[in-house]
Amino acid sequence: MPATLPPNSKRPASTEELLANAARMRNTIVLVLAASLLTMLPLPWKFLTIPVGIAAIIAGIVALKKSLRIPGMGFVNFTIILALVGCLLFAASVTLQGIFFQPTMDYQRCIEESLTSRSLEQCSRDFNTSLMDQVLGRN
């Protein structure tokens, strides 16, 4: 006689459901890693982070939605939520750099040409001044 489940319990996840969930999780993690690596590129190329981050967010939401239906996936759900937050931060960071494109490009160029710690400090001061000038509309 086959075992029956109590009336209020969830059924155990099938192997196919677990494998599909693992594939969705893997795809989300790969997109998150790609977004994090793209943030390290120089500025014009760094904008690729935004579409990859959006794709990771969409993949993460789909993975989380499907994973919530499987019992015992608490840690996986927590990991997906952390990945979503990370992608939001990557995309927001690069978007802000796009808003302040010219000061960021000048800072990037200055850093590349700096030879001493004093010149690096001057690059940071110039960057902060140009950001404040742009924010306050002093240009």
Side-chain angles (χ1 to χ4, degrees):
M1 187 158 131
T4 59
L5 294 173
N8 290 333
S9 70
K10 293 183 178 180
R11 64 173 176 73
S14 68
T15 304
E16 292 82 23
E17 285 177 319
L18 292 174
L19 288 174
N21 194 50
R24 285 188 294 272
M25 180 71 175
R26 182 185 60 241
N27 293 340
T28 301
I29 296 298
V30 165
L31 287 169
V32 170
L33 289 174
S36 72
L37 290 175
L38 287 171
T39 60
M40 296 179 202
L41 294 175
L43 227 188
W45 298 104
K46 192 179 284 194
F47 290 129
L48 292 173
T49 302
I50 296 170
V52 172
I54 291 170
I57 290 168
I58 292 169
I61 290 171
V62 169
L64 183 62
K65 185 179 172 186
K66 301 278 185 171
S67 182
L68 285 172
R69 296 180 185 160
I70 302 173
M73 290 289 156
F75 183 73
V76 171
N77 296 339
F78 179 72
T79 305
I80 293 170
I81 291 170
L82 285 179
L84 289 172
V85 170
C87 277
L88 284 171
L89 292 175
F90 293 143
S93 169
V94 173
T95 301
L96 284 174
Q97 288 180 358
I99 292 171
F100 301 109
F101 182 76
Q102 193 56 49
T104 307
M105 285 297 292
D106 294 341
Y107 176 72
Q108 187 173 306
R109 193 174 310 111
C110 183
I111 292 292
E112 289 170 0
E113 296 170 356
S114 293
L115 299 176
T116 64
S117 61
R118 186 173 287 177
S119 62
L120 287 173
E121 290 172 12
Q122 184 62 42
C123 290
S124 294
R125 281 193 294 274
D126 292 344
F127 178 62
N128 289 333
T129 302
S130 63
L131 279 180
M132 290 308 295
D133 287 346
Q134 187 171 345
V135 167
L136 298 174
R138 291 189 252 179
N139 289 341

